[in-house]
Amino acid sequence: MDEKQHRDPRLKGASPWPAGARVAKAEAGKVNFLSFIGGQIRAIGARIRDFFRYFDAAGTGWRLRTVQGDSLPRNFSQRTVFLAREDGEDWCVGFLCPCGCGRKIELLLIREAKPRWDLTVDARQRPTLHPSVYLNDGCRSHFWIRAGHIVWCE
Ligand SMILES: [Zn+2]
């Protein structure tokens, strides 16, 4: 079989699928299988995330950590409201934005401040902030912290 016959499948006796094409088809099959498996793993991942979101809503929620002094620690940890307290006076609270954007939010509690927030803590040490927190730039999150849980406003 000469070169011309091999390349042109219309010619009698030539294979409609050159050897290279058969290999490519088999490879394509493998890729499809891998992307199928990838899709399954992603679906399972989404279910695990949903589970943890549910667990977050039903579980222990946010905790309060009090630090002595009129300033907050430089680094905040996840799901923690830091309270700066000096001589029995609550100065401010700080925490990471609950949307996950990584922004540090600091709110004043002292009476002279405007705007200011009220922090209350229940018997189980769960923080509640009043009023709600609204970020007017960036992620524009709007939420309440009530009894250690984030309540999102639409
Ligand atoms: Zn955010």
mmCIF file with all atom_site columns, all heavy atoms in Angstrom, residues 136-154:
data_model
loop_
_atom_site.group_PDB
_atom_site.id
_atom_site.type_symbol
_atom_site.label_atom_id
_atom_site.label_alt_id
_atom_site.label_comp_id
_atom_site.label_asym_id
_atom_site.label_entity_id
_atom_site.label_seq_id
_atom_site.pdbx_PDB_ins_code
_atom_site.Cartn_x
_atom_site.Cartn_y
_atom_site.Cartn_z
_atom_site.occupancy
_atom_site.B_iso_or_equiv
_atom_site.pdbx_formal_charge
_atom_site.auth_seq_id
_atom_site.auth_comp_id
_atom_site.auth_asym_id
_atom_site.auth_atom_id
_atom_site.pdbx_PDB_model_num
ATOM 1   N N   . ASN A 1 136 ? -20.315 47.858 53.672 1.00 0.00 ? 136 ASN A N   1
ATOM 2   C CA  . ASN A 1 136 ? -20.816 48.560 52.469 1.00 0.00 ? 136 ASN A CA  1
ATOM 3   C C   . ASN A 1 136 ? -19.827 48.549 51.310 1.00 0.00 ? 136 ASN A C   1
ATOM 4   O O   . ASN A 1 136 ? -20.051 49.200 50.298 1.00 0.00 ? 136 ASN A O   1
ATOM 5   C CB  . ASN A 1 136 ? -21.282 49.983 52.805 1.00 0.00 ? 136 ASN A CB  1
ATOM 6   C CG  . ASN A 1 136 ? -20.187 50.795 53.449 1.00 0.00 ? 136 ASN A CG  1
ATOM 7   O OD1 . ASN A 1 136 ? -19.024 50.389 53.423 1.00 0.00 ? 136 ASN A OD1 1
ATOM 8   N ND2 . ASN A 1 136 ? -20.529 51.927 54.037 1.00 0.00 ? 136 ASN A ND2 1
ATOM 9   N N   . ASP A 1 137 ? -18.719 47.795 51.447 1.00 0.00 ? 137 ASP A N   1
ATOM 10  C CA  . ASP A 1 137 ? -17.859 47.571 50.287 1.00 0.00 ? 137 ASP A CA  1
ATOM 11  C C   . ASP A 1 137 ? -17.309 46.145 50.349 1.00 0.00 ? 137 ASP A C   1
ATOM 12  O O   . ASP A 1 137 ? -17.637 45.404 51.271 1.00 0.00 ? 137 ASP A O   1
ATOM 13  C CB  . ASP A 1 137 ? -16.732 48.620 50.204 1.00 0.00 ? 137 ASP A CB  1
ATOM 14  C CG  . ASP A 1 137 ? -15.840 48.606 51.436 1.00 0.00 ? 137 ASP A CG  1
ATOM 15  O OD1 . ASP A 1 137 ? -16.051 47.748 52.318 1.00 0.00 ? 137 ASP A OD1 1
ATOM 16  O OD2 . ASP A 1 137 ? -14.935 49.449 51.517 1.00 0.00 ? 137 ASP A OD2 1
ATOM 17  N N   . GLY A 1 138 ? -16.481 45.796 49.385 1.00 0.00 ? 138 GLY A N   1
ATOM 18  C CA  . GLY A 1 138 ? -15.919 44.437 49.342 1.00 0.00 ? 138 GLY A CA  1
ATOM 19  C C   . GLY A 1 138 ? -17.007 43.396 49.168 1.00 0.00 ? 138 GLY A C   1
ATOM 20  O O   . GLY A 1 138 ? -17.798 43.494 48.246 1.00 0.00 ? 138 GLY A O   1
ATOM 21  N N   . CYS A 1 139 ? -17.060 42.419 50.078 1.00 0.00 ? 139 CYS A N   1
ATOM 22  C CA  . CYS A 1 139 ? -18.019 41.315 49.940 1.00 0.00 ? 139 CYS A CA  1
ATOM 23  C C   . CYS A 1 139 ? -19.460 41.738 50.237 1.00 0.00 ? 139 CYS A C   1
ATOM 24  O O   . CYS A 1 139 ? -20.387 40.990 49.968 1.00 0.00 ? 139 CYS A O   1
ATOM 25  C CB  . CYS A 1 139 ? -17.620 40.152 50.850 1.00 0.00 ? 139 CYS A CB  1
ATOM 26  S SG  . CYS A 1 139 ? -17.728 40.588 52.607 1.00 0.00 ? 139 CYS A SG  1
ATOM 27  N N   . ARG A 1 140 ? -19.633 42.904 50.836 1.00 0.00 ? 140 ARG A N   1
ATOM 28  C CA  . ARG A 1 140 ? -20.958 43.465 51.154 1.00 0.00 ? 140 ARG A CA  1
ATOM 29  C C   . ARG A 1 140 ? -21.806 42.537 52.003 1.00 0.00 ? 140 ARG A C   1
ATOM 30  O O   . ARG A 1 140 ? -23.047 42.480 51.863 1.00 0.00 ? 140 ARG A O   1
ATOM 31  C CB  . ARG A 1 140 ? -21.696 43.854 49.873 1.00 0.00 ? 140 ARG A CB  1
ATOM 32  C CG  . ARG A 1 140 ? -20.908 44.800 48.982 1.00 0.00 ? 140 ARG A CG  1
ATOM 33  C CD  . ARG A 1 140 ? -21.676 45.176 47.735 1.00 0.00 ? 140 ARG A CD  1
ATOM 34  N NE  . ARG A 1 140 ? -22.619 46.257 48.002 1.00 0.00 ? 140 ARG A NE  1
ATOM 35  C CZ  . ARG A 1 140 ? -22.319 47.553 47.943 1.00 0.00 ? 140 ARG A CZ  1
ATOM 36  N NH1 . ARG A 1 140 ? -21.097 47.920 47.643 1.00 0.00 ? 140 ARG A NH1 1
ATOM 37  N NH2 . ARG A 1 140 ? -23.224 48.465 48.188 1.00 0.00 ? 140 ARG A NH2 1
ATOM 38  N N   . SER A 1 141 ? -21.139 41.791 52.878 1.00 0.00 ? 141 SER A N   1
ATOM 39  C CA  . SER A 1 141 ? -21.876 40.874 53.752 1.00 0.00 ? 141 SER A CA  1
ATOM 40  C C   . SER A 1 141 ? -22.766 41.653 54.719 1.00 0.00 ? 141 SER A C   1
ATOM 41  O O   . SER A 1 141 ? -22.418 42.747 55.169 1.00 0.00 ? 141 SER A O   1
ATOM 42  C CB  . SER A 1 141 ? -20.899 40.015 54.556 1.00 0.00 ? 141 SER A CB  1
ATOM 43  O OG  . SER A 1 141 ? -20.297 39.056 53.730 1.00 0.00 ? 141 SER A OG  1
ATOM 44  N N   . HIS A 1 142 ? -23.908 41.079 55.016 1.00 0.00 ? 142 HIS A N   1
ATOM 45  C CA  . HIS A 1 142 ? -24.836 41.649 55.985 1.00 0.00 ? 142 HIS A CA  1
ATOM 46  C C   . HIS A 1 142 ? -25.372 40.502 56.833 1.00 0.00 ? 142 HIS A C   1
ATOM 47  O O   . HIS A 1 142 ? -25.975 39.571 56.300 1.00 0.00 ? 142 HIS A O   1
ATOM 48  C CB  . HIS A 1 142 ? -25.978 42.365 55.257 1.00 0.00 ? 142 HIS A CB  1
ATOM 49  C CG  . HIS A 1 142 ? -26.882 43.113 56.187 1.00 0.00 ? 142 HIS A CG  1
ATOM 50  N ND1 . HIS A 1 142 ? -28.117 43.573 55.808 1.00 0.00 ? 142 HIS A ND1 1
ATOM 51  C CD2 . HIS A 1 142 ? -26.728 43.477 57.494 1.00 0.00 ? 142 HIS A CD2 1
ATOM 52  C CE1 . HIS A 1 142 ? -28.691 44.209 56.838 1.00 0.00 ? 142 HIS A CE1 1
ATOM 53  N NE2 . HIS A 1 142 ? -27.866 44.148 57.868 1.00 0.00 ? 142 HIS A NE2 1
ATOM 54  N N   . PHE A 1 143 ? -25.106 40.549 58.108 1.00 0.00 ? 143 PHE A N   1
ATOM 55  C CA  . PHE A 1 143 ? -25.434 39.400 58.961 1.00 0.00 ? 143 PHE A CA  1
ATOM 56  C C   . PHE A 1 143 ? -25.582 39.839 60.410 1.00 0.00 ? 143 PHE A C   1
ATOM 57  O O   . PHE A 1 143 ? -25.160 40.932 60.800 1.00 0.00 ? 143 PHE A O   1
ATOM 58  C CB  . PHE A 1 143 ? -24.328 38.332 58.851 1.00 0.00 ? 143 PHE A CB  1
ATOM 59  C CG  . PHE A 1 143 ? -22.959 38.858 59.232 1.00 0.00 ? 143 PHE A CG  1
ATOM 60  C CD1 . PHE A 1 143 ? -22.489 38.786 60.539 1.00 0.00 ? 143 PHE A CD1 1
ATOM 61  C CD2 . PHE A 1 143 ? -22.141 39.451 58.277 1.00 0.00 ? 143 PHE A CD2 1
ATOM 62  C CE1 . PHE A 1 143 ? -21.244 39.289 60.889 1.00 0.00 ? 143 PHE A CE1 1
ATOM 63  C CE2 . PHE A 1 143 ? -20.888 39.959 58.620 1.00 0.00 ? 143 PHE A CE2 1
ATOM 64  C CZ  . PHE A 1 143 ? -20.442 39.884 59.927 1.00 0.00 ? 143 PHE A CZ  1
ATOM 65  N N   . TRP A 1 144 ? -26.186 38.973 61.182 1.00 0.00 ? 144 TRP A N   1
ATOM 66  C CA  . TRP A 1 144 ? -26.250 39.110 62.638 1.00 0.00 ? 144 TRP A CA  1
ATOM 67  C C   . TRP A 1 144 ? -25.377 38.014 63.248 1.00 0.00 ? 144 TRP A C   1
ATOM 68  O O   . TRP A 1 144 ? -25.215 36.955 62.645 1.00 0.00 ? 144 TRP A O   1
ATOM 69  C CB  . TRP A 1 144 ? -27.669 38.896 63.146 1.00 0.00 ? 144 TRP A CB  1
ATOM 70  C CG  . TRP A 1 144 ? -28.671 39.920 62.724 1.00 0.00 ? 144 TRP A CG  1
ATOM 71  C CD1 . TRP A 1 144 ? -29.340 39.959 61.520 1.00 0.00 ? 144 TRP A CD1 1
ATOM 72  C CD2 . TRP A 1 144 ? -29.135 41.040 63.488 1.00 0.00 ? 144 TRP A CD2 1
ATOM 73  N NE1 . TRP A 1 144 ? -30.184 41.046 61.508 1.00 0.00 ? 144 TRP A NE1 1
ATOM 74  C CE2 . TRP A 1 144 ? -30.086 41.722 62.696 1.00 0.00 ? 144 TRP A CE2 1
ATOM 75  C CE3 . TRP A 1 144 ? -28.843 41.524 64.774 1.00 0.00 ? 144 TRP A CE3 1
ATOM 76  C CZ2 . TRP A 1 144 ? -30.738 42.869 63.145 1.00 0.00 ? 144 TRP A CZ2 1
ATOM 77  C CZ3 . TRP A 1 144 ? -29.502 42.658 65.217 1.00 0.00 ? 144 TRP A CZ3 1
ATOM 78  C CH2 . TRP A 1 144 ? -30.428 43.336 64.403 1.00 0.00 ? 144 TRP A CH2 1
ATOM 79  N N   . ILE A 1 145 ? -24.879 38.273 64.430 1.00 0.00 ? 145 ILE A N   1
ATOM 80  C CA  . ILE A 1 145 ? -24.320 37.184 65.241 1.00 0.00 ? 145 ILE A CA  1
ATOM 81  C C   . ILE A 1 145 ? -25.275 37.028 66.414 1.00 0.00 ? 145 ILE A C   1
ATOM 82  O O   . ILE A 1 145 ? -25.453 37.957 67.222 1.00 0.00 ? 145 ILE A O   1
ATOM 83  C CB  . ILE A 1 145 ? -22.891 37.481 65.733 1.00 0.00 ? 145 ILE A CB  1
ATOM 84  C CG1 . ILE A 1 145 ? -21.942 37.650 64.541 1.00 0.00 ? 145 ILE A CG1 1
ATOM 85  C CG2 . ILE A 1 145 ? -22.395 36.352 66.649 1.00 0.00 ? 145 ILE A CG2 1
ATOM 86  C CD1 . ILE A 1 145 ? -20.496 37.949 64.927 1.00 0.00 ? 145 ILE A CD1 1
ATOM 87  N N   . ARG A 1 146 ? -25.931 35.900 66.452 1.00 0.00 ? 146 ARG A N   1
ATOM 88  C CA  . ARG A 1 146 ? -26.916 35.645 67.499 1.00 0.00 ? 146 ARG A CA  1
ATOM 89  C C   . ARG A 1 146 ? -26.613 34.316 68.158 1.00 0.00 ? 146 ARG A C   1
ATOM 90  O O   . ARG A 1 146 ? -26.623 33.283 67.494 1.00 0.00 ? 146 ARG A O   1
ATOM 91  C CB  . ARG A 1 146 ? -28.329 35.599 66.915 1.00 0.00 ? 146 ARG A CB  1
ATOM 92  C CG  . ARG A 1 146 ? -28.868 36.970 66.564 1.00 0.00 ? 146 ARG A CG  1
ATOM 93  C CD  . ARG A 1 146 ? -30.308 36.866 66.123 1.00 0.00 ? 146 ARG A CD  1
ATOM 94  N NE  . ARG A 1 146 ? -30.826 38.166 65.742 1.00 0.00 ? 146 ARG A NE  1
ATOM 95  C CZ  . ARG A 1 146 ? -31.708 38.366 64.767 1.00 0.00 ? 146 ARG A CZ  1
ATOM 96  N NH1 . ARG A 1 146 ? -32.152 37.344 64.076 1.00 0.00 ? 146 ARG A NH1 1
ATOM 97  N NH2 . ARG A 1 146 ? -32.129 39.574 64.489 1.00 0.00 ? 146 ARG A NH2 1
ATOM 98  N N   . ALA A 1 147 ? -26.375 34.374 69.465 1.00 0.00 ? 147 ALA A N   1
ATOM 99  C CA  . ALA A 1 147 ? -26.085 33.163 70.253 1.00 0.00 ? 147 ALA A CA  1
ATOM 100 C C   . ALA A 1 147 ? -25.030 32.300 69.556 1.00 0.00 ? 147 ALA A C   1
ATOM 101 O O   . ALA A 1 147 ? -25.165 31.084 69.447 1.00 0.00 ? 147 ALA A O   1
ATOM 102 C CB  . ALA A 1 147 ? -27.361 32.369 70.513 1.00 0.00 ? 147 ALA A CB  1
ATOM 103 N N   . GLY A 1 148 ? -23.986 32.944 69.067 1.00 0.00 ? 148 GLY A N   1
ATOM 104 C CA  . GLY A 1 148 ? -22.873 32.220 68.471 1.00 0.00 ? 148 GLY A CA  1
ATOM 105 C C   . GLY A 1 148 ? -23.116 31.701 67.068 1.00 0.00 ? 148 GLY A C   1
ATOM 106 O O   . GLY A 1 148 ? -22.317 30.909 66.561 1.00 0.00 ? 148 GLY A O   1
ATOM 107 N N   . HIS A 1 149 ? -24.199 32.137 66.442 1.00 0.00 ? 149 HIS A N   1
ATOM 108 C CA  . HIS A 1 149 ? -24.478 31.694 65.081 1.00 0.00 ? 149 HIS A CA  1
ATOM 109 C C   . HIS A 1 149 ? -24.615 32.886 64.147 1.00 0.00 ? 149 HIS A C   1
ATOM 110 O O   . HIS A 1 149 ? -25.110 33.937 64.542 1.00 0.00 ? 149 HIS A O   1
ATOM 111 C CB  . HIS A 1 149 ? -25.740 30.842 65.039 1.00 0.00 ? 149 HIS A CB  1
ATOM 112 C CG  . HIS A 1 149 ? -25.583 29.541 65.744 1.00 0.00 ? 149 HIS A CG  1
ATOM 113 N ND1 . HIS A 1 149 ? -24.888 28.488 65.204 1.00 0.00 ? 149 HIS A ND1 1
ATOM 114 C CD2 . HIS A 1 149 ? -25.977 29.145 66.972 1.00 0.00 ? 149 HIS A CD2 1
ATOM 115 C CE1 . HIS A 1 149 ? -24.872 27.498 66.064 1.00 0.00 ? 149 HIS A CE1 1
ATOM 116 N NE2 . HIS A 1 149 ? -25.518 27.867 67.154 1.00 0.00 ? 149 HIS A NE2 1
ATOM 117 N N   . ILE A 1 150 ? -24.190 32.678 62.919 1.00 0.00 ? 150 ILE A N   1
ATOM 118 C CA  . ILE A 1 150 ? -24.319 33.720 61.905 1.00 0.00 ? 150 ILE A CA  1
ATOM 119 C C   . ILE A 1 150 ? -25.706 33.619 61.288 1.00 0.00 ? 150 ILE A C   1
ATOM 120 O O   . ILE A 1 150 ? -26.105 32.547 60.825 1.00 0.00 ? 150 ILE A O   1
ATOM 121 C CB  . ILE A 1 150 ? -23.249 33.554 60.804 1.00 0.00 ? 150 ILE A CB  1
ATOM 122 C CG1 . ILE A 1 150 ? -21.838 33.569 61.413 1.00 0.00 ? 150 ILE A CG1 1
ATOM 123 C CG2 . ILE A 1 150 ? -23.400 34.631 59.730 1.00 0.00 ? 150 ILE A CG2 1
ATOM 124 C CD1 . ILE A 1 150 ? -21.473 34.822 62.176 1.00 0.00 ? 150 ILE A CD1 1
ATOM 125 N N   . VAL A 1 151 ? -26.418 34.720 61.314 1.00 0.00 ? 151 VAL A N   1
ATOM 126 C CA  . VAL A 1 151 ? -27.725 34.775 60.656 1.00 0.00 ? 151 VAL A CA  1
ATOM 127 C C   . VAL A 1 151 ? -27.598 35.764 59.509 1.00 0.00 ? 151 VAL A C   1
ATOM 128 O O   . VAL A 1 151 ? -27.400 36.958 59.727 1.00 0.00 ? 151 VAL A O   1
ATOM 129 C CB  . VAL A 1 151 ? -28.839 35.221 61.642 1.00 0.00 ? 151 VAL A CB  1
ATOM 130 C CG1 . VAL A 1 151 ? -30.181 35.262 60.950 1.00 0.00 ? 151 VAL A CG1 1
ATOM 131 C CG2 . VAL A 1 151 ? -28.863 34.301 62.859 1.00 0.00 ? 151 VAL A CG2 1
ATOM 132 N N   . TRP A 1 152 ? -27.659 35.259 58.288 1.00 0.00 ? 152 TRP A N   1
ATOM 133 C CA  . TRP A 1 152 ? -27.447 36.107 57.105 1.00 0.00 ? 152 TRP A CA  1
ATOM 134 C C   . TRP A 1 152 ? -28.706 36.884 56.769 1.00 0.00 ? 152 TRP A C   1
ATOM 135 O O   . TRP A 1 152 ? -29.816 36.353 56.848 1.00 0.00 ? 152 TRP A O   1
ATOM 136 C CB  . TRP A 1 152 ? -27.033 35.244 55.902 1.00 0.00 ? 152 TRP A CB  1
ATOM 137 C CG  . TRP A 1 152 ? -25.680 34.643 56.083 1.00 0.00 ? 152 TRP A CG  1
ATOM 138 C CD1 . TRP A 1 152 ? -25.386 33.379 56.507 1.00 0.00 ? 152 TRP A CD1 1
ATOM 139 C CD2 . TRP A 1 152 ? -24.419 35.288 55.860 1.00 0.00 ? 152 TRP A CD2 1
ATOM 140 N NE1 . TRP A 1 152 ? -24.030 33.198 56.560 1.00 0.00 ? 152 TRP A NE1 1
ATOM 141 C CE2 . TRP A 1 152 ? -23.415 34.353 56.167 1.00 0.00 ? 152 TRP A CE2 1
ATOM 142 C CE3 . TRP A 1 152 ? -24.057 36.561 55.423 1.00 0.00 ? 152 TRP A CE3 1
ATOM 143 C CZ2 . TRP A 1 152 ? -22.054 34.653 56.055 1.00 0.00 ? 152 TRP A CZ2 1
ATOM 144 C CZ3 . TRP A 1 152 ? -22.699 36.869 55.310 1.00 0.00 ? 152 TRP A CZ3 1
ATOM 145 C CH2 . TRP A 1 152 ? -21.728 35.904 55.621 1.00 0.00 ? 152 TRP A CH2 1
ATOM 146 N N   . CYS A 1 153 ? -28.504 38.148 56.359 1.00 0.00 ? 153 CYS A N   1
ATOM 147 C CA  . CYS A 1 153 ? -29.602 38.956 55.842 1.00 0.00 ? 153 CYS A CA  1
ATOM 148 C C   . CYS A 1 153 ? -29.495 38.877 54.326 1.00 0.00 ? 153 CYS A C   1
ATOM 149 O O   . CYS A 1 153 ? -28.395 38.902 53.781 1.00 0.00 ? 153 CYS A O   1
ATOM 150 C CB  . CYS A 1 153 ? -29.459 40.408 56.281 1.00 0.00 ? 153 CYS A CB  1
ATOM 151 S SG  . CYS A 1 153 ? -29.325 40.594 58.061 1.00 0.00 ? 153 CYS A SG  1
ATOM 152 N N   . GLU A 1 154 ? -30.611 38.821 53.656 1.00 0.00 ? 154 GLU A N   1
ATOM 153 C CA  . GLU A 1 154 ? -30.577 38.747 52.180 1.00 0.00 ? 154 GLU A CA  1
ATOM 154 C C   . GLU A 1 154 ? -30.183 40.081 51.589 1.00 0.00 ? 154 GLU A C   1
ATOM 155 O O   . GLU A 1 154 ? -30.452 41.117 52.120 1.00 0.00 ? 154 GLU A O   1
ATOM 156 C CB  . GLU A 1 154 ? -31.939 38.295 51.644 1.00 0.00 ? 154 GLU A CB  1
ATOM 157 C CG  . GLU A 1 154 ? -32.255 36.841 51.998 1.00 0.00 ? 154 GLU A CG  1
ATOM 158 C CD  . GLU A 1 154 ? -31.133 35.849 51.682 1.00 0.00 ? 154 GLU A CD  1
ATOM 159 O OE1 . GLU A 1 154 ? -30.515 35.980 50.598 1.00 0.00 ? 154 GLU A OE1 1
ATOM 160 O OE2 . GLU A 1 154 ? -30.864 34.976 52.492 1.00 0.00 ? 154 GLU A OE2 1
#
